[in-house]
Amino acid sequence: MSRLTSTFRLTLGACQASPAPPVGSALGQRGLNLMNFCKEFNDRTAAYAPGTPMQVEVRSYADRTFDFDVSTPLSSYFLKKAAGVEKGTSKPGIEWVGSISVKEIYEIAKVKMTDRKLQERSNLRTMCKSLAAQCRSIGLKVYDPRELVGADAGGERSV
């Protein structure tokens, strides 16, 4: 490959890349092959539900070639989807829009840890803590389903 000329980021729906904007305008102005990008992106994101917002970092080179990395969807997307809400609260810590279990946070953390960049900087425990903190800023209460099952009428946990 020749020298790197530019790096840019896009947010695209999984399996929905097409030569239309934003892909067409971002790649076209750099003289990159739109159809090759669309085909390869759609192949790489086939494991995700169509329309899932994916973060893409594209690097273009002087000889008009490119390569790209697809990151996992944003954490907030997974958290809101798991809680069944469309948007977060405007008053974090005061107003709650939904709830999410610790088990769901763990499952989301496992998916996020498949991202190569996150594996280098984090472990599963810190990812779970980060997701729990993000839940509070979105307006989601975090609960432990084991406490709900073991609770009796007095609110104490039975053994």
Side-chain angles (χ1 to χ4, degrees):
M1 282 190 207
S2 64
R3 71 179 179 86
L4 181 69
T5 56
S6 69
T7 301
F8 58 97
R9 294 175 189 233
L10 298 169
T11 301
L12 304 171
C15 303
Q16 293 182 340
S18 67
V23 177
S25 55
L27 274 69
Q29 71 185 9
R30 293 166 176 87
L32 305 177
N33 189 327
L34 299 171
M35 292 312 292
N36 284 350
F37 174 82
C38 293
K39 184 178 183 320
E40 191 172 344
F41 175 81
N42 291 338
D43 289 344
R44 285 193 198 179
T45 59
Y48 291 93
T52 303
M54 306 295 290
Q55 304 295 309
V56 186
E57 182 177 330
V58 183
R59 291 170 298 283
S60 65
Y61 299 94
D63 62 356
R64 294 191 179 197
T65 59
F66 65 89
D67 64 353
F68 64 94
D69 292 324
V70 180
S71 300
T72 56
L74 295 173
S75 301
S76 59
Y77 170 79
F78 283 130
L79 293 170
K80 290 187 286 187
K81 186 171 181 183
V85 298
E86 288 190 30
K87 69 182 237 183
T89 184
S90 59
K91 299 176 184 176
I94 298 170
E95 188 178 274
W96 303 102
V97 295
S99 60
I100 187 170
S101 73
V102 174
K103 182 179 179 182
E104 290 170 315
I105 288 177
Y106 177 75
E107 294 299 323
I108 292 169
K110 286 193 328 190
V111 171
K112 291 297 289 180
M113 290 305 293
T114 61
D115 195 341
R116 186 180 45 122
K117 289 181 181 178
L118 293 176
Q119 287 175 347
E120 296 168 358
R121 294 186 231 155
S122 183
N123 61 35
L124 195 57
R125 183 181 178 98
T126 55
M127 177 59 69
C128 288
K129 286 181 177 182
S130 173
L131 289 170
Q134 191 171 0
C135 284
R136 287 187 286 280
S137 69
I138 294 174
L140 300 176
K141 284 195 174 198
V142 179
Y143 67 92
D144 186 350
R146 295 175 297 180
E147 292 176 3
L148 297 177
V149 171
D152 62 8
E156 296 179 20
R157 190 170 179 180
S158 59
V159 181

